[in-house]
Amino acid sequence: MYWMDMNPEEIADAVGALGVPNFRIRQVQEWLIRGVRPKDMTNLPKTLREQLDAIPFGGATIYQKRVSPKDGTVKYLFELEDGNLVEGVLMRYSYGNTVCLSTQVGCNMGCKFCASTLEGCVRSLRPGEMLSFLAEIERDEPQVDGKKRTVTNIVLMGSGEPLDNYDNVVTFLKRVTSEQGPNISARNISLSTCGIVPKIYRLIEDAPHVTLSISLHAHSDETRSELMPINRAYPIEQLLEAAKAYVDRTGRRVVFEYALIGGKNDSEADANALANRLKGMLCHVNLIPLNPVKERGLDGVTRAYAYQFQKWLNDRRISATVRREMGADIEGACGQLRRRVLNEIRG
Ligand code: SAH
């Protein structure tokens, strides 16, 4: 067991076992909520800090940080205690700051346009590691304007497939929304999945207030299976049924991500077919001009073209917007920064 993975009761048990008074237990709990390591728990006696250090912390440290001069987006590369590197991003919007967190080191899903999956999944992240990313970012970029916290919104859209790390992700969601934890509203959290259908049904029950984003990227099974191997297990019709179940259960719209890939899924006929698929569903389409990954050989589209595709959808009464481009100048896309740094380290 790691400190960062423990809930308040588990912390109480672990600290209580050291025979210290209750107020010390509360102090340790407060520090851990803020992701602070035992050695930095400044109001504890040194002997207690050393005793606490006998249990591994299980968090992350900032290995590298890049700030976009263009929009202030901060891209972090975190180092885990086993030496693995994983990305996170802080994006500044008018309504608050959003962090994009990873759920796995690498990914097993094999999507043809994505850099995160090029070498498979190294391992899944534990809840405490994901909580630690948040705490490290909060500490690194302190709140401004007297606001209580830096981060108001979370998107699980970094590397990894969150539903392929289901239990840890659901535990993370419970902890991060808890009043005894960071207390971030579930409504301000989005989870993005490539479409592991049975897990979507489970998520609807376990975390109904979280916004569901589905990476759709194609309107036909032929193209989707070519781009996303998961589609062979759970084709579009089953996926859209799960999306409808989410809408029915939560009354909230489902978000579909659609990466525009030049010559693959970006024609007016594609927009038309997509609109027909989604007709009548409470949903929103988030268009992303593909961020071409060198190793992948797929083309993006211009932003102007993405707006044209948006208009085709809007004309067909489908709500759609083009995702704001954040940190494109600092390798903001999935898995790109980690890859570049790993390539540098490996020479
Ligand atoms: N595994 C999850 C979440 C991670 S990726 C999922 O599949 O949804 C977050 C989003 O970025 C997904 O929609 C993913 O398909 C998309 N994405 C991955 N690589 C991309 C690239 N090179 N350009 C644009 N979008 C990309």
Side-chain angles (χ1 to χ4, degrees), residues 90-316:
L90 171 67
M91 295 166 284
R92 300 169 195 283
Y93 293 97
S94 53
Y95 55 80
N97 293 321
T98 298
V99 293
C100 173
L101 299 181
S102 296
T103 55
Q104 296 179 313
V105 183
C107 183
N108 266 338
M109 297 298 117
C111 298
K112 289 291 181 288
F113 43 79
C114 182
S116 301
T117 196
L118 281 165
E119 292 177 36
C121 178
V122 179
R123 73 169 172 88
S124 284
L125 296 173
R126 297 185 305 269
E129 291 175 317
M130 296 181 254
L131 288 163
S132 182
F133 300 151
L134 193 66
E136 291 296 310
I137 293 174
E138 293 257 342
R139 209 179 0 258
D140 184 60
E141 290 278 329
Q143 53 277 36
V144 285
D145 308 335
K147 291 209 179 88
K148 233 177 106 200
R149 64 160 33 96
T150 309
V151 176
T152 53
N153 297 63
I154 298 176
V155 295
L156 295 181
M157 295 187 186
S159 71
E161 166 51 45
L163 300 188
D164 188 39
N165 182 18
Y166 189 85
D167 292 338
N168 285 333
V169 165
V170 167
T171 303
F172 166 76
L173 291 172
K174 291 204 167 115
R175 295 272 306 280
V176 83
T177 54
S178 154
E179 279 178 29
Q180 295 165 309
N183 199 10
I184 290 179
S185 163
R187 292 179 183 281
N188 291 354
I189 303 180
S190 290
L191 180 150
S192 177
T193 176
C194 65
I196 306 181
V197 166
K199 299 279 175 64
I200 295 178
Y201 285 104
R202 276 183 70 189
L203 188 77
I204 297 170
E205 296 308 318
D206 290 337
H209 299 299
V210 166
T211 299
L212 180 65
S213 281
I214 294 178
S215 298
L216 191 57
H217 302 326
H219 57 79
S220 76
D221 281 321
E222 193 190 345
T223 306
R224 194 166 190 273
S225 292
E226 186 192 323
L227 294 171
M228 304 176 71
I230 190 73
N231 195 65
R232 292 178 208 139
Y234 307 109
I236 295 180
E237 201 170 307
Q238 287 182 31
L239 183 56
L240 295 184
E241 259 169 48
K244 283 200 189 89
Y246 167 83
V247 173
D248 290 345
R249 168 77 165 76
T250 64
R252 304 178 67 205
R253 68 181 194 180
V254 62
V255 176
F256 292 108
E257 289 152 281
Y258 194 93
L260 289 163
I261 308 176
K264 264 275 175 251
N265 63 1
D266 65 337
S267 68
E268 184 169 7
D270 289 318
N272 197 34
L274 179 63
N276 284 337
R277 279 272 193 188
L278 303 182
K279 205 163 47 191
M281 197 187 308
L282 184 60
C283 70
H284 178 80
V285 178
N286 213 335
L287 298 168
I288 320 163
L290 182 82
N291 207 323
V293 173
K294 204 174 63 219
E295 292 87 340
R296 292 310 207 176
L298 292 168
D299 298 324
V301 302
T302 63
R303 265 191 100 67
Y305 190 86
Y307 287 119
Q308 173 63 65
F309 197 90
Q310 174 191 348
K311 187 166 181 305
W312 287 328
L313 290 178
N314 293 159
D315 289 346
R316 291 161 176 86

Side-chain angles (χ1 to χ4, degrees), residues 328-345:
D329 51 335
I330 53 166
E331 291 172 286
C334 269
Q336 287 186 356
L337 180 61
R338 169 170 176 267
R339 253 196 101 61
R340 190 181 54 73
V341 171
L342 285 181
N343 284 341
E344 277 168 18
I345 294 172

